[in-house]
Amino acid sequence: MSLILNLETSTKNCSVSISKNGICITSIEECSEKYLHSEKLHTFIQYAIKISKIDINDLKSICVSKGPGSYTSLRIGISAAKGLCFSLGIPLLSLDSLTIMSQKIDIKDGFLLPMIHAKSDFFYTSLFNKSKNRIAPISIKNINDQYFRFITKNQKVYFFGNVNFQEKEKSLLTDYFHFFSHIYPSAIDMSFLSYVKFCNKKFNKIENFIPFYL
């Protein structure tokens, strides 16, 4: 039995889940403009363990979002994960926040383009196919970038993230786009991915692990 604690803190959504063999059995999260990770994260972890009716020593691994996203928020999540791994003597797993977000939407054709706000009109993004396999690396793009015009040419692209897409931004693209605003990475969507990594022993070196930040 593989019980994994998943932590996602890359955006203003403070999210915790516990998964059993790749299936989420408990989740707690709160999305706040005040970025309450430092206040809420450890409380959420304790409560998730309590309502799951497990002992903390039953955990086999901790999986944490490594970014990109808010650097301060990521450091809080990663520090918590590393501390628990050290104290419990269990391995550390990590997932990037855009891969986590790609699990949010299922499509039959086209491409997924999750976006996390970086600053001003810039976003962290990456491109995934309908099978949710990454086909473009993580990068920072401007909504006006020619990159968006290129990938939307005669193809369906699903834009989604912690972004409130405005009409002026939509008009820059083509008739093939679909927009979903106010979608955040969640520890719930880490459950299966962290289990696969655990089974394949894709562990991180705890002492050297730092946030991924462009």
Side-chain angles (χ1 to χ4, degrees):
M1 180 175 68
S2 299
L3 285 168
I4 299 175
L5 174 66
N6 302 291
L7 309 178
E8 218 304 323
T9 62
S10 62
T11 64
K12 62 185 179 182
N13 188 36
C14 181
S15 182
V16 172
S17 75
I18 293 176
S19 56
K20 179 180 178 181
N21 298 334
I23 299 173
C24 180
I25 60 173
T26 300
S27 66
I28 305 169
E29 58 186 18
E30 181 176 341
C31 192
S32 172
E33 296 291 341
K34 296 181 180 180
Y35 285 82
L36 299 174
H37 305 74
S38 60
E39 301 174 26
K40 299 284 188 177
L41 183 60
H42 287 282
T43 301
F44 285 0
I45 292 170
Q46 293 170 2
Y47 189 57
I49 291 170
K50 180 179 179 179
I51 62 177
S52 297
K53 297 181 180 179
I54 64 170
D55 187 280
I56 193 169
N57 293 296
D58 294 331
L59 294 173
K60 300 301 182 184
S61 181
I62 312 292
C63 186
V64 66
S65 172
K66 64 181 178 181
S70 165
Y71 190 69
T72 300
S73 298
L74 287 167
R75 285 179 62 88
I76 292 170
I78 289 171
S79 294
K82 291 171 69 172
L84 285 168
C85 286
F86 271 125
S87 63
L88 297 173
I90 57 178
L92 175 68
L93 298 165
S94 68
L95 294 164
D96 74 81
S97 47
L98 294 166
T99 294
I100 295 167
M101 287 182 71
S102 72
Q103 306 303 300
K104 285 284 186 188
I105 297 177
D106 295 319
I107 59 174
K108 294 182 179 179
D109 59 353
F111 299 96
L112 295 167
L113 205 150
M115 306 173 77
I116 294 177
H117 185 251
K119 58 182 178 179
S120 187
D121 292 329
F122 290 87
F123 306 89
Y124 302 113
T125 190
S126 185
L127 190 65
F128 297 81
N129 62 20
K130 64 181 181 180
S131 299
K132 301 182 180 180
N133 295 315
R134 174 174 279 123
I135 56 175
I138 297 173
S139 59
I140 296 180
K141 299 291 183 182
N142 186 290
I143 197 68
N144 297 314
D145 201 297
Q146 289 295 322
Y147 171 76
F148 293 108
R149 295 177 186 270
F150 172 75
I151 62 171
T152 56
K153 186 177 181 180
N154 300 323
Q155 300 178 82
K156 290 182 180 179
V157 180
Y158 298 80
F159 295 81
F160 58 99
N162 64 338
V163 181
N164 184 17
F165 294 104
Q166 304 296 321
E167 289 302 320
K168 64 181 179 65
E169 294 166 341
K170 295 179 183 180
S171 67
L172 296 171
L173 306 174
T174 72
D175 294 332
Y176 292 88
F177 56 79
H178 301 269
F179 288 92
F180 302 90
S181 298
H182 307 299
I183 292 179
Y184 298 87
S186 170
I188 298 170
D189 300 311
M190 298 171 69
S191 300
F192 179 72
L193 298 175
S194 62
Y195 177 65
V196 171
K197 278 206 163 187
F198 179 80
C199 291
N200 292 323
K201 298 183 179 180
K202 299 291 186 180
F203 305 130
N204 296 100
K205 291 184 178 180
I206 300 173
E207 60 275 12
N208 298 328
F209 187 72
I210 58 174
F212 172 72
Y213 195 75
L214 295 176

